[in-house]
Amino acid sequence: MSNQTTHHITLIPGDGIGPEVTSAARKVIAAAGVVIDWEIVDAGAGAIDKFDTTLPEETLNSIRKNKVALKGPLTTPIGTGFRSVNVELRKTLDLYSNVRPVRSAMGISVHHQPINMVIFRENTEDLYAGLEQDIAPGVAQSLKIITEKASLRIARAAFGWAEKNNRKLVHAVHKANIMKKSDGLFLDCCRRVAAEFPKITYKEIIVDNCAMQMVMRPYQFDVVVLGNLYGDIISDLAAGLVGGLGVVPGANIGDEYAVFESVHGSAPDIAGKGIANPMATILSANMMLRHLGESKAADRIQAAIVLFLSEKQFLTPDLGGTATTDEMVEGIINKIKLLR
Ligand code: NAI
């Protein structure tokens, strides 16, 4: 134990169910024997009183220093109020790749054939640029920004990951039949990157057809690369195929920093009830462990989760059970101990 690495990681507990699920992930990591010195920082509505901003400089500096963060979800007011802190964080730290693995082995799939796709969502532009205005009474405008730089790098992230992980197929998702300029540029960039990876099959699919195909034949998808808005919607759809938002992890990766967080939001409808499914955040933390080079511990946690799910006991209500968050965490930790 004495020469074990201590990792210094920033933790944003988040809003709603965030503190419950991030605390669950910390317990699981500790049970797997990884030592982390957590630097706990504020963001979102909870930071306003103390720092007069939703994204304090101290929070950004903590991530800049530690390079890696685990993050709970942050609430964004609908229609009015402050802009999304999640979007701000991704843009400020240039976390351009949002990576979301969707696997039926990890959840309770509604399909019989195994689903094992990895979604690469562009994370810094598109309609999330926040360029909106009222241009006349009763007329609002929102600008969709697509750049060559961002499209090339998300495509390279997707193809590069596919090659490294021995995946065979990348789908680019678009609506370039209608948005010939913006989605046309995205598609052109994907085609150029595809030409750099001749061993990987490249396919294109229009986003509406993609939604239908994903519901009917999701197992045809391997690696999927999309712009920001399509990526947001399609990854929630994909989550629904493997057990819901409670089981799908995610990572926001840039060239310098990485922030790990589940696909789900702050789930205000169940916050504070002790019934949130912690699996998505535990799996996000597990992606973080691999990023940190702790692959042995990550393999053990993954095996423990597979074993835990196979018994279909101590599941939270979203997975059809009656267990609390704590009971589920205890169940997973018991499996980790078994696999020691
Ligand atoms: P949501 O993901 O919070 O909830 C959607 C539904 O899924 C709810 O019924 C919720 O109870 C359920 N759910 C989500 N996570 C769950 C879990 N771990 N266990 C069990 N059930 C779970 O999405 P919603 O309601 O659209 O957004 C709520 C807030 O979260 C909004 O303010 C939104 O802006 C924010 N949000 C933040 C994200 C982030 O911080 N990365 C991502 C998505 C939404």
Side-chain angles (χ1 to χ4, degrees):
M1 282 302 268
S2 57
N3 58 2
Q4 187 163 18
T5 308
T6 299
H7 300 281
H8 300 274
I9 307 291
T10 301
L11 176 73
I12 301 172
D15 300 321
I17 61 171
E20 303 165 48
V21 291
T22 52
S23 140
R26 288 175 64 179
K27 286 181 196 156
V28 168
I29 290 175
V34 179
V35 182
I36 295 189
D37 175 21
W38 297 99
E39 191 170 336
I40 302 173
V41 295
D42 294 301
I48 296 178
D49 281 351
K50 206 160 140 198
F51 298 96
D52 206 24
T53 169
T54 50
L55 188 54
E57 207 44 41
E58 277 145 75
T59 299
L60 290 167
N61 285 339
S62 169
I63 302 174
R64 287 187 183 115
K65 179 181 65 166
N66 295 324
K67 311 277 187 210
V68 176
L70 180 66
K71 176 184 163 296
L74 293 168
T75 298
T76 309
I78 294 172
T80 56
F82 59 81
R83 285 170 56 180
S84 166
V85 184
N86 305 308
V87 173
E88 209 56 37
L89 184 70
R90 293 166 190 168
K91 284 207 299 204
T92 309
L93 297 176
D94 206 17
L95 304 167
Y96 59 85
S97 234
N98 191 333
V99 187
R100 298 175 159 184
V102 179
R103 292 193 188 106
S104 48
M106 288 296 176
I108 314 296
S109 180
V110 297
H111 279 268
H112 297 301
Q113 287 195 49
I115 297 167
N116 185 1
M117 71 178 104
V118 180
I119 293 176
F120 282 77
R121 165 190 175 191
E122 202 291 320
N123 226 3
T124 60
E125 56 180 27
D126 198 343
L127 281 157
Y128 286 70
L131 299 172
E132 286 197 304
Q133 58 178 337
D134 294 312
I135 50 174
V139 185
Q141 181 190 49
S142 189
L143 294 183
K144 172 168 168 134
I145 306 293
I146 299 292
T147 65
E148 182 182 42
K149 180 183 169 197
S151 304
L152 283 175
R153 64 185 183 175
I154 190 65
R156 287 214 172 90
F159 276 92
W161 185 91
E163 184 178 65
K164 206 168 149 203
N165 291 277
N166 207 19
R167 298 292 189 118
K168 306 286 179 230
L169 170 66
V170 174
H171 272 94
V173 182
H174 67 94
K175 190 79 185 173
N177 49 333
I178 305 298
M179 281 158 281
K180 296 179 194 295
K181 293 284 180 197
S182 53
D183 281 18
L185 174 59
F186 178 80
L187 213 47
D188 177 57
C189 291
C190 289
R191 285 174 189 167
R192 279 153 63 190
V193 174
E196 297 167 15
F197 294 85
K199 287 190 190 139
I200 296 173
T201 304
Y202 170 65
K203 288 188 180 173
E204 295 170 354
I205 186 164
I206 295 177
V207 64
D208 36 346
N209 182 29
C210 175
M212 188 273 286
Q213 294 288 340
M214 235 179 227
V215 171
M216 295 197 68
R217 285 179 288 278
Y219 26 81
Q220 70 183 291
F221 293 99
D222 188 351
V223 174
V224 185
V225 59
L226 322 86
N228 206 340
L229 183 62
Y230 306 150
D232 188 15
I233 297 167
I234 292 290
S235 53
D236 268 35
L237 186 158
L241 303 169
V242 297
L245 287 169
V247 298
V248 176
N252 303 288
I253 312 269
D255 291 333
E256 286 190 76
Y257 314 111
V259 175
F260 296 83
E261 65 174 333
S262 337
V263 171
H264 66 71
S266 54
D269 52 338
I270 55 165
K273 295 185 178 164
I275 54 163
N277 185 344
M279 191 71 79
T281 307
I282 293 170
L283 291 170
S284 306
N286 220 31
M287 290 172 80
M288 181 185 82
L289 292 186
R290 291 195 194 284
H291 181 85
L292 294 170
E294 294 281 1
S295 49
K296 256 188 167 171
D299 287 347
R300 197 161 141 218
I301 293 173
Q302 198 161 322
I305 287 173
V306 170
L307 190 58
F308 171 81
L309 285 175
S310 71
E311 291 179 1
K312 295 202 167 35
Q313 274 181 348
F314 305 114
L315 299 178
T316 44
D318 59 306
L319 295 181
T322 54
T324 62
T325 308
D326 287 346
E327 284 166 344
M328 192 155 172
V329 172
E330 201 185 318
I332 295 169
I333 289 176
N334 285 339
K335 299 298 178 218
I336 291 175
K337 287 179 184 158
L338 263 183
L339 295 169
R340 200 179 288 277

